[in-house]
Amino acid sequence: MATGAPLQVHPGRGVGFLTLGASLHDVLTLFKAQPSFYPSLDISYSPSAPLATPVILNLPPNGLRLRFDGPDQRLRLIEILDFTKTPLRYKSTELVKLPEGRAANETLSQPTGPTFRYVYNRLMGPSFPGEYLPPVSGSGQHEGLYILSYPGVAFTFRLQDSGWSAEGDFVEMLSSDAASAATTMAVFDGQSWPESRRDLMIRPCSYPRSLALSARSKEPQPDEIELAVIRSDGKVDLERRNSPTFQIELSKTTPQDLVAELGPPSAIYRKSDRRLSIHKTQPKEETSQRRFSSTSRDIHDDLTDTEHSSAYTRTDESDNEVQGLAAANQDPDSAKECFYNYFDHGFDIFVSYPAAPSPTALFSAHANGKINGSDANQLVATKILFHGNVPGSFPFNRYRRSRWVINLGVSDAHISFDSETAFSEMSQPLLEIWRRSLGTLGKELNQNAMVLNRDWNDSPGSSCEFLGDWEESSDSTRKEAFSDKAGPAGSSGNTKLYGFPGLLFEVLKNNTISCLTVY
């Protein structure tokens, strides 16, 4: 599928518009917007450990394979597997000149890359000796692989094992008939492939997650969020790549603050689905006896009718309406509750009239259940939903992955939880912390969960069903074709909801946290 203008190869940076460090969400969104050029997207991941292992994106018609790290979902390695399917250029020189009259979908039996002489003499120039990987003993193969490495780029050549000598001149060996043309090319961040591969998936990225920021767009772009630090005083610190940390204080931060610091939201969703309100209905005499049960009225039922509605239906609004909502603080009658959807940041922010946040002793600013100093008629941020973008989950690729850390600021300073921690590892410590903090009331906290189904309805925005049980998932590695449907093929929409004062976790069957709501 060699169509379009040649993509420029930038060693250590990327290929064409693909920049190392770009987010999986950005890359997939861009590919989906050009189906005629990228007709097939195959994603491979581990269903049992989707955040601990790399995510691999294959594009067979384009001869490309992209590898992303699991925790942050950032592009770490770009591999060219077929040089004839995507035209490439380094500086002003084409990597491969295709034969005249060759069909775009024709498959060649021989390696399609540049020869060693072409790479050494015309493309890259002299290099240090590479490394030779002999054929596996007993495999019956007679060819090994020789990896020639330059800063930020490496080429792989097949080499007959009989033609390899540890004491020989690698230039002579690769220039002989014992060596083939290049079979693959890899673009990575580092001085050499042997050095870089040791920490390829964990080293700090030199370039941002956003392709728009990498391209240095003329339009101003908001700085990207690196990490959300959830504090124990009703505040959330959004640590940014270059700009100072932006702090959101629940029931105090206004829409003006959000737009000024984070930019206009990608979309606005207006809260309308109230089908879960039945769970909130209580006799009047019970109102004064409400407890902090993690699965009943105070936690789950206050969050589920808002949590699902923001993440799964996009209602695009103009920037003028965003500014209008910000200005609506001066006219309470015209203001409405809504979600600010920040798909590129990986979270939603619920904007509503201020309410007393979670009444728990851990949140010192909320200890008395008072509104956080805001005008009762003013719109403020009251909830934040951080999305995990877990492969195989129902909402996969609607948001960029958002990473967070919970910092309770209690005596258990050695206990810390982050977005990669399995829920089973944090649930019991969290439960004990709140039980000690709440005293008698803490005895009401429990580990029961509600089961939420996302995909029983044709409209993902209106799907919210609670079930009594769920199926177990397979631990085998899964390869799925990506589509525009609600979720990847074969995914299950069933998740479990676990609540604590101020926190609601949506947990997948593999024990991974798909979404964290802070309120």
Side-chain angles (χ1 to χ4, degrees), residues 45-50 390-394 422-424 450-455 467 469-475 478 490-498 506-515:
Y45 63 93
S46 169
S48 60
V390 181
S393 64
F394 182 76
F423 180 73
S424 60
M450 300 182 78
V451 180
L452 175 65
N453 183 275
R454 295 290 190 191
D455 55 4
L467 312 177
D469 201 354
W470 59 351
E471 299 175 352
E472 295 297 330
S473 62
S474 171
D475 286 339
R478 177 172 294 170
S491 67
S492 172
N494 294 354
T495 59
K496 282 191 174 182
L497 300 176
Y498 295 88
E506 182 175 353
V507 184
L508 302 176
K509 290 184 282 188
N510 54 21
N511 210 21
T512 303
I513 298 172
S514 176
C515 180

Side-chain angles (χ1 to χ4, degrees), residues 21 41 60 136 140 174 178 205 208 212 249 251 264 286 365 426 456 499 501 509:
L41 307 176
V136 178
L174 294 179
C205 293
E249 187 169 356
S251 293
E286 292 183 9
M426 70 170 71
W456 272 9
K509 290 184 282 188

Side-chain angles (χ1 to χ4, degrees), residues 227 229-230 404-423 425-427 429-430 433 505 513:
L227 182 69
V229 180
I230 301 163
W404 45 262
V405 171
I406 297 177
N407 180 11
L408 294 177
V410 294
S411 59
D412 304 80
H414 62 285
I415 298 179
S416 63
F417 311 110
D418 58 36
S419 47
E420 286 73 61
T421 305
F423 180 73
E425 297 179 12
M426 70 170 71
S427 59
L430 279 176
I433 290 173
F505 297 88
I513 298 172

Side-chain angles (χ1 to χ4, degrees), residues 138-188:
S139 65
Q141 298 292 326
H142 303 290
E143 291 181 325
L145 298 176
Y146 191 93
I147 302 176
L148 182 66
S149 189
Y150 293 89
V153 64
F155 295 85
T156 301
F157 302 88
R158 293 177 189 165
L159 180 63
Q160 294 180 9
D161 193 49
S162 59
W164 161 253
S165 173
E167 293 77 24
D169 184 350
F170 81 97
V171 175
E172 291 185 4
M173 288 186 288
L174 294 179
S175 300
S176 68
D177 293 337
S180 71
T183 57
T184 63
M185 180 184 75
V187 178
F188 54 90

Side-chain angles (χ1 to χ4, degrees), residues 215-236:
R216 298 176 182 177
S217 173
K218 294 182 180 179
E219 297 183 2
Q221 301 288 333
D223 200 3
E224 64 183 19
I225 307 300
E226 292 283 343
L227 182 69
V229 180
I230 301 163
R231 295 170 44 175
S232 60
D233 54 0
K235 300 175 183 178
V236 177

